Amino acid sequence: SPEQINTSDIGFDYATEKDPKQFNNTLIKYKENAVRYLDTKIQNTMRYLATEKIKQIIDTNTQYIT
């Protein structure tokens, strides 16, 4: 499609088609890796806040197939 051709001209970082499940799993892995580098006193707080934000992202990006 023309959109795919335009996207490929920009580069791989701008790909528009990704499996949502794969994207969500990658996001969760990045979150956990980032939290591990924080001070141990704030890890649980940041883990909770990041998890809530990821849930919000997943809920707003849900595609309903009818």
Side-chain angles (χ1 to χ4, degrees):
S1 74
E3 181 182 356
Q4 291 172 327
I5 292 170
N6 289 337
T7 302
S8 66
D9 290 342
I10 295 172
F12 290 112
D13 292 338
Y14 296 94
T16 57
E17 296 179 22
K18 281 190 176 182
D19 179 27
K21 204 175 217 180
Q22 180 185 3
F23 174 77
N24 295 339
N25 290 338
T26 303
L27 187 60
I28 291 167
K29 289 176 190 175
Y30 284 154
K31 180 254 329 177
E32 190 56 38
N33 285 334
V35 168
R36 287 182 186 163
Y37 288 104
L38 296 173
D39 186 39
T40 55
K41 294 177 183 177
I42 63 170
Q43 281 183 355
N44 286 334
T45 303
M46 290 298 136
R47 188 174 284 120
Y48 172 78
L49 292 172
T51 301
E52 290 299 311
K53 190 62 175 175
I54 290 172
K55 285 180 185 177
Q56 181 185 16
I57 291 168
I58 291 170
D59 289 344
T60 57
N61 290 328
T62 302
Q63 296 178 359
Y64 297 99
I65 301 173
T66 56

